Amino acid sequence: MLQLPAMNPVYIEEGLDKGAIWHFGEIAKEQRALAEGKAWANLSHRSVIEISGEDRLMWLHSLTTQFLEDLQPGQWREALILDPQGHVEQQFFLVDDGKSTYLHLDAAQAPALISYLESMKFMLRVEVKDVSDKFTILRAPGKTDEIGGPYALVPRAELAETESAFNSSNLQVGIWALEADRIAKGRARILLDTDHKSIPNEIGALNKSVHMKKGCYRGQETVAKVFNLGQPPRRLVLLHLDGSNVELPKHGDSIYLDGKEVGVLGSVARHYELGPIGLALVKRNTPSTSTLIVAGIAASQELLVSVE
């Protein structure tokens, strides 16, 4: 049965998802369909980078936090690139088709990533191209997986046909539904839930986008040292905000405990079941049972990163 959005789409006018559809007017319906695995979304505002050449997987394995040497065609994985001090610089999702590896990421980050990859080619058999004009990303129907998919890499020439097929038995949803689901599941998004000081240990990335049993990569020393000490400077928490306020706090708002600043708010959204929720980085020693205050709104914490 054909599933049609309830009304004309509302578009995002600024930020990382500028130009994407925010919602179609029935927000709870969209989020419910996503939770049931019966929704899809257009992510064509994101950049797609193609890496071809015989050395591509070995090369990406050496540059990123992820184990990629064994990546099989059709498998999706999330990876990070860190600076020499272990701070998160890049976050992307990738898939290989047996001939090329395709990365999708926030468009704002693509030029810097391409520049970095070009600088690291040396004599290896790899080629880097921005192919956003040829391919697009869709969030395909299905229950949400651990990296926010399932994703579909679609040639733009086949986009209309693919969207029609998805619409035959699924509901198209906007970014609001995807972001509410991401926040509820505690998945950090760089530039929203991180800053220039963020390290993977703080955001729950270990044994996920950061493989803990692979060889050396840039920034690994910091990751290993903090892991062994068990004391990241900050930790990511899921905030359950008091739902009596009409307005939500904003990204970047300071978080307080007993009048002292202890953290900063990242992503925030209204979830169809949980109500207003957000992700925040708070100081390591912030008591996990304490009620925090952000923009005058009370918030309880749900642990995402161990306090031990």
Side-chain angles (χ1 to χ4, degrees):
M1 180 177 178
L2 181 65
Q3 299 289 311
L4 295 175
M7 59 178 290
N8 292 331
V10 175
Y11 289 88
I12 299 173
E13 298 181 354
E14 58 183 17
L16 295 179
D17 295 310
K18 181 179 179 180
I21 295 171
W22 184 224
H23 63 80
F24 290 93
E26 293 189 343
I27 295 136
K29 179 180 179 181
E30 292 179 40
Q31 293 189 32
R32 192 173 295 111
L34 184 67
E36 294 170 353
K38 298 177 180 178
W40 69 277
N42 188 317
L43 302 179
S44 59
H45 62 292
R46 292 177 65 80
S47 288
V48 180
I49 297 172
E50 178 186 8
I51 301 177
S52 57
E54 295 180 27
D55 297 327
R56 66 189 183 281
L57 292 179
M58 175 270 291
W59 183 58
L60 288 169
H61 177 89
S62 70
L63 295 177
T64 74
T65 59
Q66 188 57 273
F67 197 102
L68 298 173
E69 289 182 335
D70 64 348
L71 186 66
Q72 299 299 306
Q75 285 185 332
W76 282 93
R77 289 184 185 168
E78 179 184 3
L80 306 175
I81 289 179
L82 310 180
D83 72 11
Q85 290 73 45
H87 304 129
V88 179
E89 280 194 344
Q90 294 283 354
Q91 175 188 42
F92 49 83
F93 306 89
L94 53 91
V95 68
D96 195 84
D97 67 0
K99 296 181 179 179
S100 293
T101 305
Y102 295 88
L103 287 57
H104 79 84
L105 71 161
D106 289 319
Q109 292 290 92
L113 178 58
I114 291 172
S115 178
Y116 172 71
L117 293 175
E118 289 286 358
S119 74
M120 299 299 292
K121 287 167 62 173
F122 305 116
M123 300 297 290
L124 296 175
R125 295 166 292 181
V126 292
E127 185 176 357
V128 181
K129 292 181 182 177
D130 187 330
V131 292
S132 304
D133 59 336
K134 298 179 181 178
F135 293 91
T136 192
I137 297 295
L138 301 181
R139 200 307 194 161
K143 294 272 189 176
T144 304
D145 61 28
E146 63 181 8
I147 63 172
Y151 295 115
L153 175 73
V154 181
R156 286 191 179 269
E158 301 173 12
L159 180 57
E161 180 182 355
T162 305
E163 289 183 336
S164 178
F166 284 176
N167 267 331
S168 65
S169 56
N170 301 279
L171 182 72
Q172 183 178 2
V173 303
I175 298 298
W176 185 335
L178 300 184
E179 284 293 275
D181 180 68
R182 177 183 68 79
I183 295 167
K185 290 181 169 62
R187 297 194 311 273
R189 183 176 176 185
I190 69 165
L191 301 184
L192 287 181
D193 304 307
T194 65
D195 56 25
H196 68 284
K197 299 183 295 182
S198 298
I199 60 174
N201 313 63
E202 297 177 328
I203 60 174
L206 305 189
N207 293 313
K208 295 177 183 177
S209 55
V210 177
H211 197 284
M212 297 301 289
K213 295 183 179 180
K214 64 167 284 186
C216 185
Y217 55 86
R218 191 173 73 170
Q220 183 190 25
E221 183 178 351
T222 296
V223 174
K225 180 179 179 180
V226 175
F227 173 73
N228 290 328
L229 291 175
Q231 296 181 335
R234 300 172 297 180
R235 54 185 174 82
L236 189 73
V237 296
L238 175 63
L239 295 183
H240 294 269
L241 301 157
D242 183 347
S244 61
N245 291 71
V246 175
E247 295 292 329
L248 292 177
K250 296 179 175 57
H251 172 263
D253 281 349
S254 295
I255 297 171
Y256 296 91
L257 174 62
D258 297 331
K260 296 181 179 179
E261 185 174 344
V262 295
V264 64
L265 182 67
S267 306
V268 61
R270 289 191 186 276
H271 189 272
Y272 79 109
E273 285 187 331
L274 301 177
I277 55 175
L279 293 177
L281 280 173
V282 299
K283 292 181 179 179
R284 174 180 75 229
N285 58 1
T286 303
S288 60
T289 56
S290 297
T291 297
L292 307 178
I293 302 295
V294 53
I297 300 171
S300 62
Q301 306 172 64
E302 183 176 330
L303 290 181
L304 299 171
V305 176
S306 175
V307 296
E308 299 179 353

